[in-house]
Amino acid sequence: MHRSRRLYLNRRYRHAVSVHPALVMMARRPEPGRVKTRLCPPLTPEQATALYEAFLYDLTALLRSVRGVQPIIAYAPETAADYFASLAPDFAHRPQVGADLGERMAAITNALLNEGAPAVVVIGSDSPDLPVTFIEQAIAELTNGGDLVLGPASDGGYYPVGLRQPAPTLFTDVTMSTPTVLRDTLVIAEQLRLKTSLLPLWYDIDTFTDLHRLIASSASLTHTRPLLEHVLAQAGG
């Protein structure tokens, strides 16, 4: 390829990366014994896995409904590329990199921001009925000059995190999956003098009790709802 043509393509690629905020879903390939283990029992590992896969389908539909973003799946394990390419062929896909969740979240946010994304919003894959308005609010906060946006989760963590500049210590200096994740993150944000905003409270699906809240949700949940009704009936819930 001619050098000037190659440079033009490179410039065009960099511009495309930086036009829209990146909306990232952290996800794991559904495998029995590796996903939603806190639902077992009363669910079997196979039921929990099927339910998690339904979450993924509904969440990819949710991400597609958000306008003006680059949807990306950050997946694990590294061998899961084909699965996620089949799940969402219209999304970008990247393997998660890092020894633990904090390192992996730091890695994906750093990489996308350094590549030119104007902002990055990261969600998990445990809230299939997450209101799209919450994601839109997170993006708006960052677009309007905020440095950090967090959505408090009922378990003490957060359900999305959004950044406009790399801040890896927000993830690496916090012990993840504890009841103080949000509080500890806010302390670091204050030390970094980040302009921070909070979204409304929401919840993750971690326990069997959470499934009852999910079944009562007004969200359509095309994939999750029929399977959940069947699973709850089988489990006597």
Side-chain angles (χ1 to χ4, degrees), residues 9-171:
L9 290 174
N10 288 341
R11 285 197 298 270
R12 186 173 64 175
Y13 173 75
R14 285 198 297 268
H15 178 68
V17 168
S18 65
V19 167
H20 298 302
L23 178 55
V24 181
M25 178 172 69
M26 306 287 286
R28 172 170 284 277
R29 182 174 57 201
E31 298 173 274
R34 301 301 301 270
V35 297
K36 309 315 300 171
T37 55
R38 292 176 61 188
L39 297 177
C40 308
L43 271 57
T44 67
E46 291 73 21
Q47 288 173 325
T49 301
L51 194 58
Y52 178 72
E53 185 167 41
F55 290 3
L56 294 179
Y57 276 98
D58 282 327
L59 281 164
T60 53
L62 174 71
L63 267 61
R64 288 189 187 99
S65 72
V66 182
R67 296 183 178 275
V69 298
Q70 307 170 60
I72 299 170
I73 295 179
Y75 61 84
E78 283 190 39
T79 56
D82 288 346
Y83 173 84
F84 285 101
S86 176
L87 174 76
D90 52 327
F91 286 19
H93 308 87
R94 296 187 182 220
Q96 296 180 25
V97 177
D100 55 33
L101 179 58
E103 288 188 7
R104 295 193 293 269
M105 292 181 70
I108 190 65
T109 53
N110 285 1
L112 291 168
L113 290 166
N114 287 331
E115 288 168 18
V120 178
V121 174
V122 180
I123 68 169
S125 48
D126 296 325
S127 300
D129 62 339
L130 180 65
V132 66
T133 54
F134 290 3
I135 298 175
E136 293 170 340
Q137 183 180 342
I139 294 167
E141 294 283 354
L142 297 170
T143 302
N144 293 327
D147 298 317
L148 171 67
V149 60
L150 295 161
S154 55
D155 62 2
Y158 49 76
Y159 57 88
V161 54
L163 287 168
R164 204 162 49 87
Q165 57 184 293
T169 56
L170 290 173
F171 310 108

Side-chain angles (χ1 to χ4, degrees), residues 220-231:
S220 59
L221 298 175
T222 303
H223 298 274
T224 301
R225 187 173 300 282
L227 180 60
L228 180 56
E229 290 172 350
H230 178 67
V231 165

Side-chain angles (χ1 to χ4, degrees), residues 136-215:
E136 293 170 340
Q137 183 180 342
I139 294 167
E141 294 283 354
L142 297 170
T143 302
N144 293 327
D147 298 317
L148 171 67
V149 60
L150 295 161
S154 55
D155 62 2
Y158 49 76
Y159 57 88
V161 54
L163 287 168
R164 204 162 49 87
Q165 57 184 293
T169 56
L170 290 173
F171 310 108
T172 57
D173 287 5
V174 171
T175 303
M176 295 292 181
S177 303
T178 67
T180 62
V181 169
L182 178 66
R183 185 189 69 191
D184 297 342
T185 303
L186 288 171
V187 169
I188 296 172
E190 185 175 1
Q191 294 170 349
L192 296 175
R193 298 184 179 180
L194 299 179
K195 182 181 178 182
T196 303
S197 57
L198 297 178
L199 302 175
L201 182 70
W202 202 245
Y203 70 107
D204 291 333
I205 306 300
D206 292 322
T207 67
F208 189 70
T209 300
D210 296 327
L211 294 180
H212 291 278
R213 182 172 179 179
L214 181 60
I215 200 67

